[in-house]
Amino acid sequence: MIEAKEIVRGLECSRFGRKAYTFETIDSTNNCARTLAECDAPEGALVFAEEQTAGKGRSGRTWVARPGENLTFSIVLRPAFPPEQINLFPLGVAVAVAEGIHRSTGLTVECKWPNDLMLAGRKCAGILMESALAGNGFAYIILGIGINVNQREFPEALRERATSLALHAGHDLDRTGILQGVLGSLERAYDTYTASGFQGVLPAWLARAQMIGARVAVDMQGSIVNGTVTGISPEGGLQLHTATGDLTLFAGDVTIVTMDPYAPRN
Amino acid sequence: MDLSVVKKLVKLLSESDVDEIEIEEEGKKIRIAKHSHRPQGSAPAAPVTWVTESPGSIAAAPVAAAPASSEPAPPSAAPAPAPGAPDSRLTEIRSPIVGTFYRAPAPDASPFVQVGSEIQPGMVLCIVEAMKLMNEIESDIAGKVAKVMVENGQPVEYDQVLFLVEKP
C-alpha cells in the first residue's frame, strides 16, 4: 500500500498532496474528499485509496479498478476563477494528467473529449469532478482521478474499452512516481489557469487529441447522434457535423463517444 | 442551529441507511429526510421519476427582475401569471454556468427537490454538468420550490432560470 509519507517524499508541489489521507479501502475518494472540503480541508488535500467499493463514474456509473494495482485519488480545490469560465478547466485537467503520465513513464496518452485519457483507442484514465456551487462562486471542486497503472486483466465488459499504462509499457510501473508526476503537473497547470486564465488549454488539448475528423456516435440522454468531429469550440464544446446539420455539444450531452479508426480523416 | 451542523447532518444521512433524522434543540426542531420522503404534512411521497410540471400553474417572476441582456427562454416557455398569485414572493434561481441540468445525483435516484420542497441556504437543488464536472447548485435562500423551470437532461445557458422559489 502507498503510504502518505511516500507520496510527500520527493513531491514537487507546494500544496497538492502535501496533506495526504491514504486508505486501504474506502467507498469513494471523491466522497471522502467532499467531507474533508466541507470540514475546511486546505486546497490540495489528497485522498488516496488502494480500493474503492463505490468508485464514481459519470451519471451514477461506477469506476472499477483492481486494488493495489492502480491509482485512484481525489484532490480538494478551492478555485478563485469565476464559474462561467469553468468549461475549459476539465480539458485542462486532462492535459495536465496526460503530461504527468508522460513525464513519469514516457508514455504518450491521448485526450478524448471531454476529459478521458486513452492509449491506442482504449481508456487508461478517467476524471470526474464534483463541485459545490452557490451564488458567490465555487465553495470547492473535488477533482477525482482514476489511472489504470499495473492492472493487466479487465472484466469481460470492459476488455475492449479499457487498458493500462503497464500493458503499453510492457512492464510494471512505479505508482508513487506516477502519482507524484501527475500531482506536480496538476498543480502547475492549476496555478497557471488561476493566474492567467485558460487561453493555453485548447491548443494543448488539441495537440494531444486524435478525434478531430473521427466519426462518432454520441449518446444524448438515450438518443444517439451520429456525426463527424469537426473541432472544439472556443468554449470547449464538441463540434459535430451530422446529417441534419452542425452541432456543438457541451457538458454531459455526451455520454459515449465511439471512435471509428477506419473513418476518413481530414 | 448552525448551517454547518445542518450540512453535516445531511451528509451523515446521505451516507447512511437511515431515512430521516429529527433533532430538537433549545425549542428548535430540525428534520432531515432523504429525497424520497416529503416533509410532514405535505403530499405523499412521489414516485421516483422525472417530474415535469406543466407551465401556467404558477406565476412567473416579474419581468423587471430579469437582467437587461437577452435571456434564453427556458424550454417550458413563460408561464402565464395565475390570478392573485404573489409575484413578488417568487425568487429566481439561475444557472451560474453553461451545462446540462440534472434533477438528481444519478438517473435512478430521487430528485434533489420537487415543487413544494422546503429549501434552505446551502441545500443542493440540482446538478449542472459542464464537461464531466458535476456542479451541485446550492440554494442561497430559504423558501419553497414553486416551479422547476427546466426539464431533466436539458442544456442550460449561463444565467438561465432553473427554479422559482417562494420566499417565506
Side-chain angles (χ1 to χ4, degrees):
Chain A
M1 167 162 167
I2 296 177
E3 304 282 350
K5 61 184 181 211
E6 287 177 63
I7 297 170
V8 175
R9 193 186 305 136
L11 185 63
E12 293 176 359
C13 295
S14 65
R15 303 177 326 283
F16 284 30
R18 283 282 152 198
K19 185 95 180 161
Y21 302 84
T22 58
F23 297 86
E24 192 91 47
T25 303
I26 201 169
D27 60 341
S28 142
T29 58
N30 263 29
N31 281 354
C32 179
R34 284 172 66 137
T35 307
L36 289 169
E38 299 276 357
C39 298
D40 299 324
E43 180 159 81
L46 172 79
V47 177
F48 172 86
E50 290 290 356
E51 180 180 19
Q52 294 186 106
T53 55
K56 284 189 186 178
R58 189 173 166 271
S59 294
R61 289 194 293 261
T62 53
W63 180 263
V64 183
R66 290 242 293 247
E69 299 182 349
N70 302 301
L71 291 170
T72 46
F73 57 100
S74 298
I75 304 163
V76 175
L77 304 177
R78 299 188 182 280
F81 37 79
E84 61 269 23
Q85 289 181 12
I86 200 65
N87 269 24
L88 289 173
F89 183 56
L91 299 183
V93 167
V95 170
V97 174
E99 283 174 355
I101 290 171
H102 183 73
R103 263 168 28 99
S104 51
T105 67
L107 291 169
T108 299
V109 298
E110 294 166 15
C111 295
K112 191 189 90 174
W113 194 89
N115 61 7
D116 287 340
L117 294 171
M118 317 291 284
L119 278 166
R122 294 180 184 190
K123 185 162 165 174
C124 64
I127 299 163
L128 182 77
M129 292 187 270
E130 298 178 273
S131 85
L133 184 50
N136 53 355
F138 290 107
Y140 56 81
I141 292 180
I142 303 304
L143 170 50
I145 298 173
I147 305 173
N148 298 335
V149 181
N150 290 327
Q151 183 167 346
R152 287 159 192 271
E153 296 289 332
F154 289 91
E156 182 72 37
L158 296 177
R159 208 159 285 161
E160 296 300 312
R161 292 183 285 136
T163 189
S164 70
L165 305 184
L167 280 172
H168 288 258
H171 53 85
D172 274 6
L173 295 159
D174 168 29
R175 291 187 301 146
T176 308
I178 296 169
L179 176 58
Q180 290 172 331
V182 169
L183 288 171
S185 287
L186 280 170
E187 186 178 283
R188 278 190 298 279
Y190 181 74
D191 288 347
T192 302
Y193 305 147
T194 303
S196 47
F198 294 98
Q199 60 266 32
V201 168
L202 266 188
W205 190 89
L206 286 167
R208 291 188 174 276
Q210 300 290 314
M211 63 189 296
I212 307 299
R215 287 174 56 198
V216 295
V218 182
D219 187 339
M220 296 171 70
Q221 296 282 306
S223 69
I224 306 294
V225 176
N226 291 291
T228 303
V229 179
T230 54
I232 304 294
S233 78
E235 302 82 24
L238 183 71
Q239 294 171 321
L240 280 188
H241 180 68
T242 75
T244 53
D246 291 341
L247 290 174
T248 300
L249 306 178
F250 282 99
D253 293 330
V254 178
T255 52
I256 297 168
V257 177
T258 309
M259 293 190 62
D260 178 357
Y262 305 107
R265 300 283 175 100
N266 290 342
Chain B
M1 185 173 285
D2 193 308
L3 181 60
S4 67
V5 175
V6 178
K7 274 189 170 176
K8 280 175 192 164
L9 287 172
V10 169
K11 186 164 288 294
L12 187 69
L13 190 72
S14 68
E15 290 169 356
S16 75
D17 294 331
V18 179
D19 283 331
E20 64 178 83
I21 302 173
E22 191 168 307
I23 293 172
E24 196 164 346
E25 187 183 281
E26 295 165 3
K28 286 183 181 170
K29 194 173 358 180
I30 177 168
R31 176 178 170 279
I32 301 171
K34 285 188 177 167
H35 305 300
S36 54
H37 296 258
R38 289 243 173 150
Q40 281 169 344
S42 73
V48 180
T49 179
W50 302 123
V51 181
T52 308
E53 285 74 21
S54 59
S57 57
I58 57 111
V63 174
S69 61
S70 65
E71 184 201 333
S76 53
D87 286 7
S88 60
R89 292 180 64 184
L90 290 178
T91 302
E92 295 168 333
I93 293 184
R94 293 165 179 272
S95 181
I97 50 170
V98 175
T100 300
F101 174 85
Y102 300 110
R103 291 191 56 189
D108 56 353
S110 305
F112 291 106
V113 294
Q114 318 219 30
V115 169
S117 296
E118 300 280 353
I119 61 169
Q120 296 295 328
M123 197 167 157
V124 176
L125 303 177
C126 63
I127 287 174
V128 177
E129 179 186 2
M131 326 247 285
K132 267 172 88 181
L133 168 54
M134 317 303 282
N135 297 283
E136 291 191 347
I137 310 300
E138 297 180 351
S139 178
D140 41 18
I141 57 169
K144 190 158 84 176
V145 176
K147 187 166 175 62
V148 183
M149 299 295 285
V150 186
E151 286 185 41
N152 186 64
Q154 290 301 304
V156 292
E157 296 293 332
Y158 172 69
D159 218 30
Q160 183 171 335
V161 177
L162 305 176
F163 298 93
L164 295 180
V165 173
E166 193 179 324
K167 282 192 166 179

PDB file of all heavy atoms in Angstrom, chain B residues 21-41:
ATOM      1  N   ILE B  21     -33.597  12.072  10.061  1.00  0.00           N
ATOM      2  CA  ILE B  21     -33.079  12.448  11.375  1.00  0.00           C
ATOM      3  C   ILE B  21     -33.933  13.614  11.868  1.00  0.00           C
ATOM      4  O   ILE B  21     -34.209  14.545  11.102  1.00  0.00           O
ATOM      5  CB  ILE B  21     -31.611  12.925  11.282  1.00  0.00           C
ATOM      6  CG1 ILE B  21     -30.723  11.843  10.689  1.00  0.00           C
ATOM      7  CG2 ILE B  21     -31.090  13.350  12.648  1.00  0.00           C
ATOM      8  CD1 ILE B  21     -29.298  12.311  10.418  1.00  0.00           C
ATOM      9  N   GLU B  22     -34.348  13.557  13.115  1.00  0.00           N
ATOM     10  CA  GLU B  22     -35.073  14.686  13.689  1.00  0.00           C
ATOM     11  C   GLU B  22     -34.408  15.056  15.004  1.00  0.00           C
ATOM     12  O   GLU B  22     -34.170  14.202  15.856  1.00  0.00           O
ATOM     13  CB  GLU B  22     -36.539  14.305  13.909  1.00  0.00           C
ATOM     14  CG  GLU B  22     -37.404  15.507  14.244  1.00  0.00           C
ATOM     15  CD  GLU B  22     -38.898  15.175  14.184  1.00  0.00           C
ATOM     16  OE1 GLU B  22     -39.342  14.651  13.146  1.00  0.00           O
ATOM     17  OE2 GLU B  22     -39.590  15.428  15.174  1.00  0.00           O
ATOM     18  N   ILE B  23     -34.064  16.322  15.142  1.00  0.00           N
ATOM     19  CA  ILE B  23     -33.365  16.771  16.345  1.00  0.00           C
ATOM     20  C   ILE B  23     -34.091  17.983  16.911  1.00  0.00           C
ATOM     21  O   ILE B  23     -34.477  18.892  16.170  1.00  0.00           O
ATOM     22  CB  ILE B  23     -31.902  17.158  16.001  1.00  0.00           C
ATOM     23  CG1 ILE B  23     -31.118  15.911  15.579  1.00  0.00           C
ATOM     24  CG2 ILE B  23     -31.219  17.823  17.183  1.00  0.00           C
ATOM     25  CD1 ILE B  23     -29.749  16.221  15.057  1.00  0.00           C
ATOM     26  N   GLU B  24     -34.282  17.987  18.208  1.00  0.00           N
ATOM     27  CA  GLU B  24     -34.886  19.151  18.864  1.00  0.00           C
ATOM     28  C   GLU B  24     -33.858  19.716  19.828  1.00  0.00           C
ATOM     29  O   GLU B  24     -33.278  18.992  20.632  1.00  0.00           O
ATOM     30  CB  GLU B  24     -36.164  18.742  19.598  1.00  0.00           C
ATOM     31  CG  GLU B  24     -37.007  19.943  19.947  1.00  0.00           C
ATOM     32  CD  GLU B  24     -38.443  19.557  20.318  1.00  0.00           C
ATOM     33  OE1 GLU B  24     -38.847  18.414  20.053  1.00  0.00           O
ATOM     34  OE2 GLU B  24     -39.137  20.420  20.881  1.00  0.00           O
ATOM     35  N   GLU B  25     -33.609  21.013  19.690  1.00  0.00           N
ATOM     36  CA  GLU B  25     -32.569  21.632  20.490  1.00  0.00           C
ATOM     37  C   GLU B  25     -33.018  23.038  20.841  1.00  0.00           C
ATOM     38  O   GLU B  25     -33.318  23.836  19.962  1.00  0.00           O
ATOM     39  CB  GLU B  25     -31.271  21.668  19.660  1.00  0.00           C
ATOM     40  CG  GLU B  25     -30.055  22.134  20.416  1.00  0.00           C
ATOM     41  CD  GLU B  25     -28.856  22.190  19.469  1.00  0.00           C
ATOM     42  OE1 GLU B  25     -28.286  21.136  19.187  1.00  0.00           O
ATOM     43  OE2 GLU B  25     -28.517  23.291  19.003  1.00  0.00           O
ATOM     44  N   GLU B  26     -33.057  23.347  22.097  1.00  0.00           N
ATOM     45  CA  GLU B  26     -33.448  24.669  22.591  1.00  0.00           C
ATOM     46  C   GLU B  26     -34.732  25.160  21.914  1.00  0.00           C
ATOM     47  O   GLU B  26     -34.827  26.293  21.444  1.00  0.00           O
ATOM     48  CB  GLU B  26     -32.319  25.679  22.368  1.00  0.00           C
ATOM     49  CG  GLU B  26     -31.087  25.340  23.192  1.00  0.00           C
ATOM     50  CD  GLU B  26     -29.858  26.100  22.729  1.00  0.00           C
ATOM     51  OE1 GLU B  26     -29.977  26.924  21.804  1.00  0.00           O
ATOM     52  OE2 GLU B  26     -28.787  25.864  23.283  1.00  0.00           O
ATOM     53  N   GLY B  27     -35.698  24.273  21.868  1.00  0.00           N
ATOM     54  CA  GLY B  27     -37.004  24.649  21.346  1.00  0.00           C
ATOM     55  C   GLY B  27     -37.097  24.666  19.829  1.00  0.00           C
ATOM     56  O   GLY B  27     -38.163  24.821  19.264  1.00  0.00           O
ATOM     57  N   LYS B  28     -35.946  24.521  19.121  1.00  0.00           N
ATOM     58  CA  LYS B  28     -35.978  24.496  17.659  1.00  0.00           C
ATOM     59  C   LYS B  28     -35.854  23.052  17.199  1.00  0.00           C
ATOM     60  O   LYS B  28     -35.026  22.310  17.695  1.00  0.00           O
ATOM     61  CB  LYS B  28     -34.818  25.319  17.090  1.00  0.00           C
ATOM     62  CG  LYS B  28     -35.033  26.805  17.239  1.00  0.00           C
ATOM     63  CD  LYS B  28     -33.913  27.577  16.610  1.00  0.00           C
ATOM     64  CE  LYS B  28     -34.136  29.071  16.786  1.00  0.00           C
ATOM     65  NZ  LYS B  28     -32.986  29.865  16.397  1.00  0.00           N
ATOM     66  N   LYS B  29     -36.696  22.735  16.229  1.00  0.00           N
ATOM     67  CA  LYS B  29     -36.703  21.361  15.743  1.00  0.00           C
ATOM     68  C   LYS B  29     -36.236  21.341  14.290  1.00  0.00           C
ATOM     69  O   LYS B  29     -36.635  22.187  13.501  1.00  0.00           O
ATOM     70  CB  LYS B  29     -38.110  20.788  15.853  1.00  0.00           C
ATOM     71  CG  LYS B  29     -38.080  19.286  15.697  1.00  0.00           C
ATOM     72  CD  LYS B  29     -39.328  18.498  15.933  1.00  0.00           C
ATOM     73  CE  LYS B  29     -40.612  18.964  16.341  1.00  0.00           C
ATOM     74  NZ  LYS B  29     -41.657  17.999  16.501  1.00  0.00           N
ATOM     75  N   ILE B  30     -35.379  20.389  13.958  1.00  0.00           N
ATOM     76  CA  ILE B  30     -34.999  20.215  12.553  1.00  0.00           C
ATOM     77  C   ILE B  30     -35.201  18.761  12.182  1.00  0.00           C
ATOM     78  O   ILE B  30     -34.884  17.867  12.956  1.00  0.00           O
ATOM     79  CB  ILE B  30     -33.543  20.667  12.292  1.00  0.00           C
ATOM     80  CG1 ILE B  30     -33.189  20.404  10.843  1.00  0.00           C
ATOM     81  CG2 ILE B  30     -32.554  19.941  13.190  1.00  0.00           C
ATOM     82  CD1 ILE B  30     -31.910  21.046  10.402  1.00  0.00           C
ATOM     83  N   ARG B  31     -35.772  18.583  10.981  1.00  0.00           N
ATOM     84  CA  ARG B  31     -35.994  17.233  10.491  1.00  0.00           C
ATOM     85  C   ARG B  31     -35.378  17.143   9.104  1.00  0.00           C
ATOM     86  O   ARG B  31     -35.651  17.963   8.234  1.00  0.00           O
ATOM     87  CB  ARG B  31     -37.497  16.936  10.420  1.00  0.00           C
ATOM     88  CG  ARG B  31     -37.838  15.584   9.841  1.00  0.00           C
ATOM     89  CD  ARG B  31     -39.351  15.374   9.861  1.00  0.00           C
ATOM     90  NE  ARG B  31     -39.690  14.193   9.091  1.00  0.00           N
ATOM     91  CZ  ARG B  31     -39.796  14.156   7.765  1.00  0.00           C
ATOM     92  NH1 ARG B  31     -39.601  15.250   7.076  1.00  0.00           N
ATOM     93  NH2 ARG B  31     -40.098  13.037   7.138  1.00  0.00           N
ATOM     94  N   ILE B  32     -34.494  16.176   8.925  1.00  0.00           N
ATOM     95  CA  ILE B  32     -33.866  15.983   7.618  1.00  0.00           C
ATOM     96  C   ILE B  32     -34.224  14.587   7.142  1.00  0.00           C
ATOM     97  O   ILE B  32     -34.022  13.610   7.862  1.00  0.00           O
ATOM     98  CB  ILE B  32     -32.328  16.138   7.726  1.00  0.00           C
ATOM     99  CG1 ILE B  32     -31.996  17.534   8.257  1.00  0.00           C
ATOM    100  CG2 ILE B  32     -31.663  15.906   6.375  1.00  0.00           C
ATOM    101  CD1 ILE B  32     -30.543  17.706   8.610  1.00  0.00           C
ATOM    102  N   ALA B  33     -34.786  14.528   5.938  1.00  0.00           N
ATOM    103  CA  ALA B  33     -35.199  13.231   5.414  1.00  0.00           C
ATOM    104  C   ALA B  33     -34.650  13.062   4.014  1.00  0.00           C
ATOM    105  O   ALA B  33     -34.364  14.053   3.332  1.00  0.00           O
ATOM    106  CB  ALA B  33     -36.718  13.131   5.399  1.00  0.00           C
ATOM    107  N   LYS B  34     -34.467  11.827   3.600  1.00  0.00           N
ATOM    108  CA  LYS B  34     -33.991  11.571   2.243  1.00  0.00           C
ATOM    109  C   LYS B  34     -35.054  11.992   1.235  1.00  0.00           C
ATOM    110  O   LYS B  34     -36.219  12.121   1.560  1.00  0.00           O
ATOM    111  CB  LYS B  34     -33.619  10.102   2.084  1.00  0.00           C
ATOM    112  CG  LYS B  34     -32.289   9.821   2.777  1.00  0.00           C
ATOM    113  CD  LYS B  34     -31.767   8.435   2.485  1.00  0.00           C
ATOM    114  CE  LYS B  34     -30.409   8.292   3.150  1.00  0.00           C
ATOM    115  NZ  LYS B  34     -29.950   6.902   3.184  1.00  0.00           N
ATOM    116  N   HIS B  35     -34.607  12.155  -0.044  1.00  0.00           N
ATOM    117  CA  HIS B  35     -35.462  12.806  -1.045  1.00  0.00           C
ATOM    118  C   HIS B  35     -36.771  12.086  -1.312  1.00  0.00           C
ATOM    119  O   HIS B  35     -37.731  12.681  -1.732  1.00  0.00           O
ATOM    120  CB  HIS B  35     -34.696  12.946  -2.356  1.00  0.00           C
ATOM    121  CG  HIS B  35     -33.413  13.646  -2.185  1.00  0.00           C
ATOM    122  ND1 HIS B  35     -33.348  14.929  -1.698  1.00  0.00           N
ATOM    123  CD2 HIS B  35     -32.149  13.244  -2.365  1.00  0.00           C
ATOM    124  CE1 HIS B  35     -32.086  15.290  -1.620  1.00  0.00           C
ATOM    125  NE2 HIS B  35     -31.341  14.294  -2.009  1.00  0.00           N
ATOM    126  N   SER B  36     -36.786  10.786  -1.114  1.00  0.00           N
ATOM    127  CA  SER B  36     -37.997  10.057  -1.447  1.00  0.00           C
ATOM    128  C   SER B  36     -39.102  10.310  -0.423  1.00  0.00           C
ATOM    129  O   SER B  36     -40.215   9.880  -0.588  1.00  0.00           O
ATOM    130  CB  SER B  36     -37.696   8.564  -1.533  1.00  0.00           C
ATOM    131  OG  SER B  36     -37.073   8.142  -0.341  1.00  0.00           O
ATOM    132  N   HIS B  37     -38.732  11.060   0.654  1.00  0.00           N
ATOM    133  CA  HIS B  37     -39.731  11.372   1.670  1.00  0.00           C
ATOM    134  C   HIS B  37     -40.022  12.850   1.646  1.00  0.00           C
ATOM    135  O   HIS B  37     -39.142  13.660   1.481  1.00  0.00           O
ATOM    136  CB  HIS B  37     -39.215  10.964   3.049  1.00  0.00           C
ATOM    137  CG  HIS B  37     -39.000   9.492   3.163  1.00  0.00           C
ATOM    138  ND1 HIS B  37     -39.864   8.666   3.804  1.00  0.00           N
ATOM    139  CD2 HIS B  37     -38.012   8.711   2.666  1.00  0.00           C
ATOM    140  CE1 HIS B  37     -39.417   7.426   3.717  1.00  0.00           C
ATOM    141  NE2 HIS B  37     -38.298   7.423   3.032  1.00  0.00           N
ATOM    142  N   ARG B  38     -41.257  13.186   1.840  1.00  0.00           N
ATOM    143  CA  ARG B  38     -41.670  14.578   1.859  1.00  0.00           C
ATOM    144  C   ARG B  38     -41.741  15.067   3.295  1.00  0.00           C
ATOM    145  O   ARG B  38     -41.932  14.287   4.212  1.00  0.00           O
ATOM    146  CB  ARG B  38     -43.046  14.687   1.218  1.00  0.00           C
ATOM    147  CG  ARG B  38     -42.942  14.453  -0.272  1.00  0.00           C
ATOM    148  CD  ARG B  38     -43.350  15.703  -0.897  1.00  0.00           C
ATOM    149  NE  ARG B  38     -43.134  15.660  -2.321  1.00  0.00           N
ATOM    150  CZ  ARG B  38     -43.899  16.329  -3.152  1.00  0.00           C
ATOM    151  NH1 ARG B  38     -44.904  17.025  -2.710  1.00  0.00           N
ATOM    152  NH2 ARG B  38     -43.642  16.322  -4.417  1.00  0.00           N
ATOM    153  N   PRO B  39     -41.661  16.379   3.483  1.00  0.00           N
ATOM    154  CA  PRO B  39     -41.847  16.896   4.836  1.00  0.00           C
ATOM    155  C   PRO B  39     -43.222  16.513   5.370  1.00  0.00           C
ATOM    156  O   PRO B  39     -44.168  16.352   4.598  1.00  0.00           O
ATOM    157  CB  PRO B  39     -41.742  18.415   4.647  1.00  0.00           C
ATOM    158  CG  PRO B  39     -41.061  18.602   3.349  1.00  0.00           C
ATOM    159  CD  PRO B  39     -41.384  17.415   2.518  1.00  0.00           C
ATOM    160  N   GLN B  40     -43.297  16.417   6.687  1.00  0.00           N
ATOM    161  CA  GLN B  40     -44.571  16.041   7.293  1.00  0.00           C
ATOM    162  C   GLN B  40     -45.641  17.041   6.903  1.00  0.00           C
ATOM    163  O   GLN B  40     -45.398  18.233   6.835  1.00  0.00           O
ATOM    164  CB  GLN B  40     -44.433  16.031   8.820  1.00  0.00           C
ATOM    165  CG  GLN B  40     -43.747  14.761   9.287  1.00  0.00           C
ATOM    166  CD  GLN B  40     -43.349  14.838  10.738  1.00  0.00           C
ATOM    167  OE1 GLN B  40     -43.306  15.908  11.320  1.00  0.00           O
ATOM    168  NE2 GLN B  40     -43.043  13.700  11.307  1.00  0.00           N
ATOM    169  N   GLY B  41     -46.808  16.524   6.642  1.00  0.00           N
ATOM    170  CA  GLY B  41     -47.932  17.415   6.367  1.00  0.00           C
ATOM    171  C   GLY B  41     -48.068  17.757   4.889  1.00  0.00           C
ATOM    172  O   GLY B  41     -49.034  18.351   4.491  1.00  0.00           O
TER     173      GLY B  41
END
